[in-house]
Amino acid sequence: MTSKLSKTFIYFLGTLFIINLVQSYFTQLIFDESYYWYYAQNMAWGYFDHPPMVALLIKISSFFFEGELGVRFMSCILSVGTYIILWDLVDNPIKRKYIPHFFALGFSITLLNAYGFLTLPDTPLLFFTALFLWAYKKFLERENVWSAIFLGVVMAALMYSKYHAVLVIAFVLLSNLKLVLNKYAWLAVIVALLCYTPHFIWLYENDFVSIKYHLTERPNQAYSFSKFTAGFFLNLVALFGLTFPLVYWSLYKTKITDTFIKALVYLTYGVILFFFISSFNRRVQTQWIIVIAIPLFVLTYQYTLQNPNFRKWLYRLAVINIVLLTYARFWLVHQPLLPITYESHRNREWVKEITDKVGDMPIVFENSYRNAPMYAFYTGNTSFSLNNIMYRQNQYTIDSSEYKVQHQKVLYVSGYLSGGDVTLRNKNGDIYYGKYIEDFESFRKLRCIVDVESFDLDSNEELVLKVYNPYQEDIDLKKIKFNVAYTNDYKKVKETQPLKTDLKDGQTPFLKAKDTTYFTFKLPKPKMEKPGYAKLSISENGLYTGLNGKTIPVN
């Protein structure tokens, strides 16, 4: 593939690579990047929110560099690879005359720019979407065992990047249903499933926690046209900036001339339609639709080559986009360029403020899977996110990080404290507090299990609560209290109440290690009207009640 690249193309590509390397070095991490860096400290076949590809990229980057570049180096490499693949996907001999237009289009796409150096799950998703389409194109040209195996491996890599990848595969398949009867296509599927088996095993061993969270546990909110559906259309615009009318016009004007072009069109319309329908149920984030940037890039550049007037206007608007995005890149490094503080600003400063006051003492951040890894990245010190019922589950819920702070003197940092031993300021200058806990002890891995499909508030029935203790030691019941949280129909907690429980006959006043203890209880009546769901939870040692039970509908 690279043998077809001209010197001009390589110069542009090299410039892009250097720009992204410099940007990576001077831009502080954003919160999600620090969270995925935290993933990479303990490599696994899966993580709470995502498959493991993003962690693998960071781990590989760390072999070459330290600091921010040790998180982002592989993103810069993948960005180069994405442009090379996109170039090869365009079948038009005159493309060599319009290399500046090719890069102008790429540089002008907002998130294609961002994921050229930021390391997020969408970074490998973009690269492997492009590689998948390239592998599929080669498969169409020559169907054989080797092209099928390669296609299968790429499909697995795509799925290891982000679960949204299933849409890419599904809509390409939908564009060519004859593949259902193709033995080589089935070989590709089998290879993909075999390669993806380690992640399936991880999901099984972790009780499908990722799938359950994304499909059933995730909080939502009441439908709002402006936030949901209108927001979705705004995202379609934001993805391409000023060039958006020309990009979508090229999609509209594209004629399906072969099976591969049909795949690009189906993929684009399919993803747009899928998330348009989704927008009537939940808010669609811009990065969820990022995969359409790959087929639309190819279709737009193809149309650019065929239409001189369109080419002229696309180039002009792309240049304006590039100027704006270049300013934004400088702003990511130097905050005074805009009166807005972003995630990449002042991280070293607020982290240093804490260490100046407490040294290398372990820090327990309440409800912040964002602050905990950011603090750990910039200090190398121990941190932990203690998640309670008002927050959400995350990687700190399922990994072993809780053990690192047990029975340690810690600084407990919370945005809910009205005062404390230490006064702090976040990056925006807002005051929050920390208090010292001499002997920190939490039991956030305790599981509350009730074998019912729903709770009946009109019933006075006595129910059975099973509490599983996964720890290596018994837990004295004097250390814990049971609670119930009631949520609205969108799973947002609105009320918590103490839950009176009684040990079943023959049970000891301990939660036995690696064992299940049985209680009986009656569900207290909520004060709120018409709760949607209830969750049973546990508070330990005076800490705010945790995330210990699943969300159960209330009748």
Side-chain angles (χ1 to χ4, degrees), residues 7-34:
K7 288 184 178 180
T8 303
F9 188 93
I10 292 173
Y11 290 151
F12 272 102
L13 199 63
T15 301
L16 169 69
F17 181 59
I18 292 170
I19 289 172
N20 284 337
L21 282 178
V22 173
Q23 185 86 53
S24 298
Y25 181 82
F26 286 103
T27 306
Q28 295 181 40
L29 295 191
I30 64 174
F31 285 116
D32 279 355
E33 285 184 296
S34 69

Side-chain angles (χ1 to χ4, degrees), residues 173 176-182:
L173 172 62
N176 186 7
L177 292 178
K178 291 180 181 179
L179 291 173
V180 174
L181 302 176
N182 187 310

Side-chain angles (χ1 to χ4, degrees), residues 99-169:
I99 292 173
H101 295 75
F102 174 88
F103 281 98
L105 175 60
F107 291 176
S108 71
I109 299 176
T110 310
L111 291 186
L112 202 59
N113 248 275
Y115 296 138
F117 64 94
L118 296 178
T119 301
L120 302 166
D122 304 279
T123 306
L125 179 69
L126 281 171
F127 171 78
F128 285 111
T129 296
L131 188 59
F132 167 69
L133 291 172
W134 186 84
Y136 176 65
K137 187 169 183 283
K138 299 304 176 185
F139 176 82
L140 293 175
E141 293 170 0
R142 181 174 295 181
E143 294 179 7
N144 56 38
V145 171
W146 295 112
S147 64
I149 291 175
F150 180 65
L151 181 61
V153 171
V154 174
M155 282 196 291
L158 185 57
M159 285 299 300
Y160 271 119
S161 300
K162 197 173 182 180
Y163 294 125
H164 285 89
V166 70
L167 298 176
V168 178
I169 298 169

Side-chain angles (χ1 to χ4, degrees), residues 224-409:
S224 163
F225 178 80
S226 61
K227 292 181 180 179
F228 285 38
T229 306
F232 162 73
F233 286 112
L234 183 61
N235 289 337
L236 290 176
V237 172
L239 186 57
F240 297 100
L242 295 176
T243 61
F244 85 91
L246 299 184
V247 170
Y248 293 115
W249 176 255
S250 67
L251 171 65
Y252 172 72
K253 296 295 289 184
T254 293
K255 296 179 180 179
I256 296 176
T257 55
D258 57 49
T259 306
F260 181 68
I261 295 297
K262 185 178 180 181
L264 298 180
V265 172
Y266 268 58
L267 173 56
T268 305
Y269 279 122
V271 170
I272 290 174
L273 180 61
F274 178 88
F275 284 112
F276 170 68
I277 295 171
S278 298
S279 75
F280 291 98
N281 175 257
R282 63 178 60 251
R283 194 170 183 174
V284 176
Q285 299 177 22
T286 311
Q287 65 268 25
W288 292 0
I289 58 174
I290 184 63
V291 292
I292 68 172
I294 299 300
L296 280 177
F297 185 107
V298 176
L299 296 176
T300 302
Y301 189 59
Q302 293 268 37
Y303 193 75
T304 297
L305 297 175
Q306 299 162 6
N307 297 274
N309 193 52
F310 180 91
R311 183 166 61 240
K312 178 177 66 177
W313 281 103
L314 181 73
Y315 192 76
R316 289 173 178 173
L317 292 175
V319 168
I320 298 173
N321 262 2
I322 292 169
V323 171
L324 296 174
L325 289 173
T326 300
Y327 192 85
R329 279 175 173 260
F330 281 106
W331 166 68
L332 289 176
V333 177
H334 188 58
Q335 185 274 328
L337 290 176
L338 285 174
I340 304 169
T341 300
Y342 184 58
E343 294 180 17
S344 62
H345 301 137
R346 298 196 71 252
N347 290 311
R348 292 192 184 97
E349 289 80 354
W350 72 258
V351 163
K352 185 176 184 299
E353 181 181 356
I354 297 177
T355 55
D356 285 346
K357 293 184 177 182
V358 303
D360 59 0
M361 179 183 298
I363 309 293
V364 175
F365 291 91
E366 183 182 42
N367 289 354
S368 188
Y369 72 90
R370 294 155 61 92
N371 287 337
M374 188 71 80
Y375 180 83
F377 177 82
Y378 281 110
T379 65
N381 296 337
T382 300
S383 65
F384 175 61
S385 175
L386 186 82
N387 309 313
N388 65 40
I389 199 71
M390 304 304 293
Y391 200 48
R392 78 165 183 88
Q393 297 181 67
N394 49 62
Q395 183 61 23
Y396 289 94
T397 306
I398 64 173
D399 66 16
S400 61
S401 56
E402 183 184 42
Y403 296 102
K404 296 179 181 179
V405 294
Q406 295 301 304
H407 303 292
Q408 302 278 325
K409 181 179 180 179

Side-chain angles (χ1 to χ4, degrees), residues 48-232:
F48 181 87
D49 311 76
H50 296 289
M53 186 62 75
V54 66
L56 178 61
L57 295 182
I58 294 171
K59 178 59 72 174
I60 295 172
S61 297
S62 70
F63 293 148
F64 296 97
F65 298 99
E66 296 180 347
E68 289 87 353
L69 198 53
V71 172
R72 295 170 172 154
F73 177 66
M74 284 304 298
S75 296
C76 301
I77 297 291
L78 291 193
S79 178
V80 168
T82 301
Y83 277 93
I84 293 174
I85 295 167
L86 287 169
W87 179 253
D88 200 61
L89 285 174
V90 176
D91 286 330
N92 192 319
I94 71 167
K95 67 181 182 180
R96 291 174 175 269
K97 294 172 57 179
Y98 298 103
I99 292 173
H101 295 75
F102 174 88
F103 281 98
L105 175 60
F107 291 176
S108 71
I109 299 176
T110 310
L111 291 186
L112 202 59
N113 248 275
Y115 296 138
F117 64 94
L118 296 178
T119 301
L120 302 166
D122 304 279
T123 306
L125 179 69
L126 281 171
F127 171 78
F128 285 111
T129 296
L131 188 59
F132 167 69
L133 291 172
W134 186 84
Y136 176 65
K137 187 169 183 283
K138 299 304 176 185
F139 176 82
L140 293 175
E141 293 170 0
R142 181 174 295 181
E143 294 179 7
N144 56 38
V145 171
W146 295 112
S147 64
I149 291 175
F150 180 65
L151 181 61
V153 171
V154 174
M155 282 196 291
L158 185 57
M159 285 299 300
Y160 271 119
S161 300
K162 197 173 182 180
Y163 294 125
H164 285 89
V166 70
L167 298 176
V168 178
I169 298 169
F171 288 121
V172 169
L173 172 62
L174 192 63
S175 74
N176 186 7
L177 292 178
K178 291 180 181 179
L179 291 173
V180 174
L181 302 176
N182 187 310
K183 63 181 180 180
Y184 293 114
W186 278 106
L187 175 59
V189 171
I190 292 170
V191 169
L193 291 174
L194 286 174
C195 292
Y196 207 60
T197 296
H199 185 63
F200 285 134
I201 294 172
W202 181 89
L203 285 170
Y204 176 77
E205 291 176 344
N206 288 272
D207 196 28
F208 297 94
V209 62
S210 306
I211 307 301
K212 288 180 178 178
Y213 174 75
H214 287 301
L215 294 183
T216 64
E217 292 289 325
R218 198 167 195 155
N220 199 0
Q221 54 183 291
Y223 175 75
S224 163
F225 178 80
S226 61
K227 292 181 180 179
F228 285 38
T229 306
F232 162 73

Side-chain angles (χ1 to χ4, degrees), residues 330-513:
F330 281 106
W331 166 68
L332 289 176
V333 177
H334 188 58
Q335 185 274 328
L337 290 176
L338 285 174
I340 304 169
T341 300
Y342 184 58
E343 294 180 17
S344 62
H345 301 137
R346 298 196 71 252
N347 290 311
R348 292 192 184 97
E349 289 80 354
W350 72 258
V351 163
K352 185 176 184 299
E353 181 181 356
I354 297 177
T355 55
D356 285 346
K357 293 184 177 182
V358 303
D360 59 0
M361 179 183 298
I363 309 293
V364 175
F365 291 91
E366 183 182 42
N367 289 354
S368 188
Y369 72 90
R370 294 155 61 92
N371 287 337
M374 188 71 80
Y375 180 83
F377 177 82
Y378 281 110
T379 65
N381 296 337
T382 300
S383 65
F384 175 61
S385 175
L386 186 82
N387 309 313
N388 65 40
I389 199 71
M390 304 304 293
Y391 200 48
R392 78 165 183 88
Q393 297 181 67
N394 49 62
Q395 183 61 23
Y396 289 94
T397 306
I398 64 173
D399 66 16
S400 61
S401 56
E402 183 184 42
Y403 296 102
K404 296 179 181 179
V405 294
Q406 295 301 304
H407 303 292
Q408 302 278 325
K409 181 179 180 179
V410 306
L411 182 71
Y412 185 79
V413 176
S414 171
Y416 298 105
L417 294 174
S418 57
D421 303 309
V422 178
T423 301
L424 304 166
R425 290 183 183 273
N426 63 19
K427 61 166 59 186
N428 295 315
D430 301 324
I431 293 176
Y432 61 107
Y433 300 96
K435 68 176 181 179
Y436 294 116
I437 298 179
E438 294 292 332
D439 183 13
F440 182 81
E441 185 181 43
S442 62
F443 306 123
R444 290 296 146 115
K445 294 185 181 298
L446 292 175
R447 299 267 65 87
C448 293
I449 304 164
V450 184
D451 293 326
V452 296
E453 294 298 322
S454 63
F455 288 127
D456 185 355
L457 292 178
D458 295 326
S459 172
N460 201 33
E461 177 187 4
E462 193 170 67
L463 301 171
V464 175
L465 167 64
K466 296 184 287 187
V467 178
Y468 176 68
N469 175 12
Y471 296 96
Q472 299 288 344
E473 66 276 350
D474 296 345
I475 298 174
D476 192 333
L477 288 179
K478 294 179 182 178
K479 294 183 177 182
I480 67 174
K481 294 181 180 179
F482 293 99
N483 301 277
V484 59
Y486 290 105
T487 79
N488 61 15
D489 290 334
Y490 304 101
K491 299 178 182 176
K492 185 173 182 179
V493 173
K494 293 295 185 179
E495 175 187 338
T496 59
Q497 288 194 33
L499 185 71
K500 185 179 182 303
T501 60
D502 295 303
L503 275 168
K504 292 197 75 174
D505 294 342
Q507 301 284 296
T508 61
F510 292 90
L511 299 178
K512 291 184 178 180

